[in-house]
Amino acid sequence: MEEICISIASKIVEEPVALIGRQLSYIIYYDSNIESLKDVLKNLDDKKNDVQRSVDAAKRNGKTIKDQVQSWLNAVSKIFREAEELQTKLNMQRRCPSLKSRYSLSRKAKKIAERVLLKLDEELSNNVANPVPLKQLGSIISNEGFKGFESREDVMNDALSALRNEKTRIIGICGMGGVGKTTMVREIIKRLQGTNKLFDDVVMSTVSATVNIRTIQTEIAESLDMKLVEESESIRAQRLHERIKQSKRILIILDDVWSAVKLQDVGIPFGDHEGCKILLTSRNEEVCKTMGCKDNIFRVQALNKEEAWELFKATVGESLDNNNPHLLHVAKMIADECKGLPIAIITIGKTLVSIDKNEWDTIRDQLKNSLPEIIPGMEHSVYSCIKLSYDKLDSDEVKSCFLLCCLFPEDYDVPIEYMVRYGLGRAIFENVNTIEKARKRVHSFVGQLKRRYLLLDSHKEECIKMHDIVRDVAISIASKDPHRFMVRSFDAEGGGGGRPGVQKVTNQEHCSAISLIDVKLDENITDGLECPKLELLQLKNSSSSSEYSNHFKRMKELKVLSFLEVNMSSYLASEKSLLLGEPKYLHTLCLEDCNLGDISHVIGGLENLEILSFARSQINKLPREIGHLHKLRMLDATDCDGLEEIPHGVLSNLRRLEELYMAESFLNWGPATGSKDETSMASLDEVLSLSDHLNILAIKIHDVHMLRNDEFLLKSQPIRFHVSINTSWSYKKESFKNRMPGYLFKNSLMLRGDVREYLEIGAVRYFLKQSEDLVLFYTYNLKYVIEELDGQGGFQHLKVLSIMCDDNIEYVMNGMNWTPGGQPAFPILESATFKNVHKLKFVCCGKLLDKRSFMNLRSIAINNCDELKYVFSVSIAQNLVQLQSLNVENCAKVEEIISKERMEDDNASHMIKWSRLTVLHLIALPKLRGFYTGNQRDSTYEIIKPNDESVNKTKETRNDIQVAGSTSSRSKVAQVGASCTALFPSNCISWLTNLEKLVLDSLTSEQGSEELVVNVVFDLEGHDSAFSQLQTFRAYSLCGVEHLWKNVQPGFQGFQNVRSLDIQRCESLKYLCPYEIYKLLVNLQQVYIDSCLNMETIVLAAPSTEDNIHEEGKEIGGSGVMTLFPKLLINIFHLSDLPNLERFCPDAYSFAWPSSTRIMRVIDCPKLKTLGFAPLSKKRPAIAENLSDDHVRGREESGGASSSTGSGCSPLVCFQSRPSTRNFTQILPQVVNREVTLTNLQTSSASDNLELLLVAECNLLEVIFLVQETPSTQAFDKLRDLYLRFLPMLSHIWEKGLQVSSGFGNLRLLRVWTCLKLRYLFSPRIAKLLTCLETIEVSECSAMEKIVGEAEGGGESIEDELTFPQLNYIKLRSLPELESFCSEAYTLKWPALEKVHVLGCPKVKAFAPVSLYV
């Protein structure tokens, strides 16, 4: 019993002692445990890398990884994450050591090491993958031809976003044939498979032009592992419907849809199955809309020039010899002729690969001459693709209009009006009895052709464009029966006009239409124009031989003759007619943009002529013979500014005239009364007497008293008019311009001069009442617009009002006095413009009682109205429910945009809803106090105003730095009494819910003036969301503004769609945005910050958020990664003239640039120490043990650092003061792509898009690039242009000893100015990478000794030969220490070198080594 007791007592004593000993061992063996963990982690990392390489190889072969292997890798990754957290805590413990922390960390290290050993002992199969599975749809389909071009990525990402939207049921992808719709859909399928199973099933069926329901059903069923054996389509549809509903989430793709498919007939449960989504591809937007697509139609356009060239090069491959300049030139011409159409590029590219290079010129000529079907492969793939779209057009009329477009040159802006006039001349329109109806029909056809992508939009009014390949196909179709068109362009490159074979081609008896472009009319051409069946002849930009007289005599059935940009004066002077075979058949004669001279003998015999146009031609007299054209329906003399004579009686004889166009033309109208002789001019009474048929009148009048005939006012059919009346100025040289915008103009009236005089004329009153577009320009004797011009009529038809340069008008209407008897004022007014209306006081004076007035106003622009104090009263603002755009500029007295008048209800502002306003410009309004200041809360409330310490980084030595987040190290923000005067006070923020573009410029008086200075832009007090649709924000010259955003509430949401941010000359700004707003700017794509002289940081942490930020920093060892504007997808990131900018983000964070930046410029930021600092991947602390402490310390004071991360890294990052790296503990293995080294620019990731980098006047920068090599490193491989200037401390462009074997392969231009410490541009190792470098320019670098430096340490070895295959220009200027291009040890090869410019380089004895090959 005693022994048992002793034994028990012994165990009671031993176990606590052992337990205590074990716990003490964690403290005693602290260093040993850490080292042991470091060793086993290294072994585990080696094993993980071996397994990962096997996994990667298996994936490349399409195999699936075994679950055991994947689980092992996941577990190992978790161990490394825990080790990273431990490493972070170890380094924090070094700054604040304690026994408790040593115990905890040692114990954690011991436990992790045990788990590591278990994973090392775990046996894994040598075969890490399963056999290749049966392929799913995404892996079966081919996406040949799809490249990650920006134009494609944007459309595809939008489509994917729509598919992810739960409310979306159907989307459409539209584009012309061959543009790549199906290829894009296949890529979408592949990407959907890479997401988190957005759909359980994805099925695809090709519908094609001939719809076969059974085929569609079968293709969908087979994709779902289902067999349909039934014969009845309805039963098959029912079964398929039931099967599809079993899939919770299914995407059904219907490719190549030509006409609306009834989904219920197929069996697709559209509408009653929320998990079923449809994706259509079609060449016809109308089909998509018919099938339910409304807002989700995504348009695929042709590739731009650069993308087309990249696709061409990828298709041609090695067949394209970059060292053959002629072949390269021909290849680029061929690619250009394809005009970005992928199917044409790929087809022609494959043809070029299979033929001799000497035949490439022939292919180019065939494309240039619009003969695509001759090229092998084009007939089947391209020609048939586009012809099918043509065949499916609805009618012969629309087909005829389409073919008429091919009569014009490539890339031409084709006026739609030509289709009207040519079509009428050839009588292609059925059941059309007026020209106006024909015009409307043609515009309807054009809309249909554009929606089917056979025609393209033009930037010119009432014009369209035709894709060159489509035009080639159209010419090919039109050249065959039954059309027989011939289109030839004889430009300088093609042979001038005497090219062999022209006569043979043109001598065709069956031609119905001929278009000759850039041709010289002589016997070589016109002898061949024996075309008895020719109906249309168009000559464009051609010249004529006056000696030849048989041009057109054998054209017996000619109906349309068009001369465009032809100098005919000499020819017409020598001939008595156009020598037409049978002129009686001619219906349309267009002599436009021509130099005509006397045309009286041309007109004489054209008895059946219906359309006659001299638009924009040089002609001084309309011949009397025009009066004999009794069937003439249209006379167009638009913009004939030299026309001075129209004999009396000519116009009055044209009794069937429907349309008369004389805008900006004849002005010498004669009086209606008095004796008439041969010298008398036509009168306006003649024009107005044509009221029986006249539908359209465009005319300019210099004397309103000539407009006395009121007969046409009695017409039952109202006339469409474009009338300008000017009584105050000379009607000749100084006459005002009121150009006709096109042939679909609204009823338009422009008045200039004495308004009282106008109102005495009945015709003017009629025009005023019927006007849809009214312009008052330099008018006088008019004070109140609506009351004086339209009485109580209220301008019921007016859509556009423009008042310019007026010194009398005070307001547009008086709201209090408006008693229209039930009629509102301006009920359909859409646009209003007031410019230089110097006495304008109100748009509407007083309270507006009628709620329908102005209710359709969409756009208002006010510029230079000196007396205006506010734009709208609250009562008018309530009516503006359709307002979309507001622009107020240069109004010296404007204090508010919306103002509450005395008689208006205090709560009326709550009824203002501008939900449609998308564009707001406020410019040069020096007295503006706010958008709306009524009902504003006390304007003297206290705001948190940062003093200098709130932005300046505390100047402490690194030895004094305390734990991140402690009081002493935080930026201090003092609360200072300051009046908050907001441009957008909180009481009007909710009105602007859908604003997309905001431009603010020069809104406040200079600080120190007596005016109250606006110091805040957005006061977000009391708002949890705002400006969620804003995309563009520009703020220029806001002198007193200290905060762009203020009073951001916790949890606030908004500004998340801002794409463009442009801030310039805001001198009081010390920071760009608070941290709360920064977090919301997730879609920013463009940043431009310039001349903000006091800006010290980009992102500021306010006192309310700084603690949280520091806590986040403490969690990750003070190394939080702030990627500035993480989705930056921009052309330009620009920082310039920021003399006080020191840093980018709060202290707790490191700063990273987004990897997708394309163009970056950093100019004149002298206090900016680095361009970037790369923290460790995710939460790793910085490590730099491979550098000496002194080097690190020096770089910390003047430079930056960078790293690569495991998943790809950002191109630029921000370095901040940090603890010395000598105190860091490292337990993770130092492998490439993990450690952080010190630099300014880091390795780019696969998504890196940087194309241009400009760095200038940054006085502290020492190094530009450091790149750490990984197996997939392609460092800055899209960088094309590098500019470095005025960098006095720059010692290396590429970090010395840089170890990298790829990257920078697209650099074309390297230009360096005034970098005084730079001794060479690049090392031999870097030189080997610069295979595309074309231009080197170096100026005023006083220390520069060589362009290519010596081989550096770190294991660099280089062959003795240096080759620059594309280098063609070298400029070296003012380099006093330069001795040579490179060491004599190297042989230089530069086969493309054309020019070397060396100036001011006194030490240069031999520019290059003797062993030189050029």
Side-chain angles (χ1 to χ4, degrees), residues 567-802:
N567 185 350
M568 301 182 66
S569 57
S570 59
Y571 168 73
L572 292 173
S574 64
E575 300 296 332
K576 295 183 178 179
S577 73
L578 284 176
L579 295 175
L580 297 168
E582 296 289 342
K584 64 181 180 181
Y585 291 115
L586 194 67
H587 295 156
T588 297
L589 176 60
C590 296
L591 307 174
E592 300 188 357
D593 299 288
C594 296
N595 191 348
L596 293 177
D598 182 10
I599 59 169
S600 57
H601 50 279
V602 172
I603 301 300
L606 307 179
E607 57 191 60
N608 289 307
L609 195 66
E610 296 183 353
I611 297 172
L612 177 60
S613 176
F614 306 112
R616 300 171 301 281
S617 289
Q618 293 299 313
I619 181 173
N620 54 24
K621 179 181 179 180
L622 289 189
R624 291 183 181 278
E625 286 77 4
I626 289 179
H628 301 154
L629 305 178
H630 299 300
K631 294 185 178 180
L632 197 66
R633 301 166 66 191
M634 177 198 291
L635 176 59
D636 188 354
T638 303
D639 286 330
C640 294
D641 51 14
L643 182 60
E644 297 185 352
E645 295 184 42
I646 301 179
H648 175 72
V650 170
L651 298 178
S652 58
N653 284 336
L654 305 177
R655 307 308 300 178
R656 298 188 62 182
L657 198 67
E658 298 175 21
E659 302 183 359
L660 176 62
Y661 301 100
M662 305 197 74
E664 297 305 315
S665 185
F666 181 70
L667 284 171
N668 297 331
W669 298 105
T673 59
S675 59
K676 305 296 180 184
D677 56 31
E678 291 188 357
T679 63
S680 299
M681 293 292 107
S683 68
L684 290 172
D685 277 11
E686 290 186 61
V687 177
L688 301 181
S689 69
L690 303 174
S691 57
D692 291 342
H693 292 92
L694 194 65
N695 295 322
I696 299 175
L697 174 64
I699 200 168
K700 189 172 183 178
I701 304 167
H702 80 276
D703 186 352
V704 72
H705 294 291
M706 294 182 177
L707 198 61
R708 293 288 182 180
N709 189 328
D710 294 347
E711 288 181 28
F712 75 96
L713 304 182
L714 303 176
K715 285 189 61 174
S716 58
Q717 178 68 28
I719 192 171
R720 188 157 64 86
F721 57 84
H722 177 89
V723 176
S724 305
I725 305 176
N726 172 26
T727 61
S728 61
W729 277 24
S730 164
Y731 61 84
K732 291 187 178 179
K733 293 183 178 179
E734 299 183 55
S735 179
F736 63 96
K737 298 290 185 182
N738 185 24
R739 297 197 179 278
M740 200 172 71
Y743 292 89
L744 290 177
F745 54 77
K746 302 179 179 73
N747 283 345
S748 172
L749 176 65
M750 185 177 194
L751 298 179
R752 178 171 189 161
D754 190 345
V755 175
R756 290 180 186 173
E757 190 176 1
Y758 294 151
L759 295 176
E760 297 175 1
I761 309 299
V764 175
R765 293 196 300 273
Y766 169 82
F767 289 141
L768 278 168
K769 196 170 290 289
Q770 299 299 322
S771 284
E772 297 174 88
D773 186 343
L774 176 61
V775 179
L776 303 177
F777 187 50
Y778 279 108
T779 53
Y780 54 91
N781 285 330
L782 177 64
K783 195 171 184 179
Y784 314 125
V785 175
I786 195 168
E787 288 84 354
E788 296 183 36
L789 290 185
D790 198 24
Q792 294 298 309
F795 285 108
Q796 298 302 302
H797 302 287
L798 195 64
K799 295 181 179 179
V800 180
L801 173 64
S802 303

Side-chain angles (χ1 to χ4, degrees), residues 416-417 420-421 424 429 432 434-444 462 634 659 661 696 720 743-744:
I416 298 172
E417 187 67 15
V420 178
R421 299 177 185 186
L424 284 168
F429 306 119
V432 170
T434 67
I435 298 174
E436 179 76 330
K437 288 182 179 179
R439 182 176 293 110
K440 290 180 180 178
R441 184 175 295 185
V442 168
H443 278 270
S444 174
E462 293 184 21
M634 177 198 291
E659 302 183 359
Y661 301 100
I696 299 175
R720 188 157 64 86
Y743 292 89
L744 290 177

Side-chain angles (χ1 to χ4, degrees), residues 1312-1326:
V1312 182
W1313 300 273
T1314 320
C1315 295
L1316 305 181
K1317 288 192 174 183
L1318 200 61
R1319 296 175 55 244
Y1320 60 88
L1321 290 188
F1322 41 74
S1323 69
R1325 180 182 293 276
I1326 296 298

Side-chain angles (χ1 to χ4, degrees), residues 1143-1355:
R1143 58 195 175 101
F1144 295 104
C1145 55
D1147 291 343
Y1149 276 80
S1150 296
F1151 164 75
W1153 294 98
S1155 63
S1156 52
T1157 307
R1158 292 179 59 191
I1159 297 177
M1160 182 172 295
R1161 297 176 182 145
V1162 182
I1163 303 170
D1164 195 11
C1165 301
K1167 290 187 178 181
L1168 191 62
K1169 293 182 178 180
T1170 75
L1171 297 180
F1173 167 81
L1176 281 167
S1177 175
K1178 297 190 177 181
K1179 299 182 179 181
R1180 294 187 178 100
I1183 304 166
E1185 292 187 2
N1186 59 320
L1187 300 175
S1188 69
D1189 291 338
D1190 292 338
H1191 181 72
V1192 170
R1193 202 159 37 244
R1195 292 296 302 276
E1196 286 174 342
E1197 293 169 358
S1198 62
S1202 156
S1203 83
S1204 302
T1205 63
S1207 60
C1209 43
S1210 308
L1212 293 172
V1213 281
C1214 173
F1215 171 76
Q1216 299 184 29
S1217 298
R1218 312 182 61 81
S1220 172
T1221 54
R1222 74 176 71 188
N1223 294 323
F1224 273 82
T1225 297
Q1226 176 186 342
I1227 59 174
L1228 291 168
Q1230 280 196 52
V1231 295
V1232 172
N1233 205 32
R1234 278 200 182 160
E1235 68 182 78
V1236 171
T1237 48
L1238 300 173
T1239 186
N1240 297 313
L1241 288 171
Q1242 72 172 60
T1243 305
S1244 59
S1245 69
S1247 62
D1248 168 43
N1249 285 309
L1250 190 65
E1251 296 176 4
L1252 182 149
L1253 174 64
L1254 186 155
V1255 185
E1257 301 175 72
C1258 296
N1259 296 346
L1260 301 178
L1261 289 180
E1262 294 181 0
V1263 179
I1264 303 299
F1265 299 108
L1266 181 142
V1267 183
Q1268 298 182 33
E1269 186 165 16
T1270 71
S1272 60
T1273 296
Q1274 294 292 327
F1276 300 99
D1277 217 31
K1278 292 185 179 179
L1279 185 65
R1280 292 175 58 93
D1281 303 305
L1282 175 61
Y1283 301 85
L1284 306 172
R1285 67 186 189 205
F1286 300 107
L1287 303 175
M1289 299 300 291
L1290 186 69
S1291 58
H1292 298 91
I1293 299 176
W1294 284 267
E1295 178 74 1
K1296 186 174 182 180
L1298 185 62
Q1299 301 296 309
V1300 64
S1301 58
S1302 62
F1304 300 97
N1306 202 38
L1307 188 65
R1308 309 297 174 90
L1309 172 66
L1310 176 57
R1311 187 172 292 170
V1312 182
W1313 300 273
T1314 320
C1315 295
L1316 305 181
K1317 288 192 174 183
L1318 200 61
R1319 296 175 55 244
Y1320 60 88
L1321 290 188
F1322 41 74
S1323 69
R1325 180 182 293 276
I1326 296 298
K1328 298 285 285 186
L1329 305 180
L1330 307 180
T1331 55
C1332 288
L1333 190 62
E1334 297 173 356
T1335 301
I1336 296 176
E1337 295 186 25
V1338 187
S1339 300
E1340 301 181 16
C1341 296
S1342 56
M1344 183 73 65
E1345 297 174 0
K1346 290 181 175 63
I1347 302 302
V1348 183
E1350 302 293 340
E1352 297 170 342

Side-chain angles (χ1 to χ4, degrees), residues 897-950:
I897 303 303
I898 298 175
S899 180
K900 185 177 77 67
E901 295 190 342
R902 290 191 301 273
M903 300 180 65
E904 292 181 319
D905 187 353
D906 287 343
N907 295 319
S909 64
H910 298 305
M911 300 174 65
I912 296 176
K913 294 180 180 177
W914 284 6
S915 58
R916 294 181 181 268
L917 185 69
T918 58
V919 178
L920 177 59
H921 289 202
L922 303 177
I923 299 172
L925 309 175
K927 293 193 175 183
L928 188 68
R929 294 186 290 113
F931 194 78
Y932 171 69
T933 60
N935 297 341
Q936 205 176 161
R937 56 191 166 81
D938 186 0
S939 62
T940 60
Y941 69 91
E942 299 296 308
I943 64 171
I944 301 300
K945 179 180 179 183
N947 59 11
D948 291 340
E949 288 183 337
S950 70

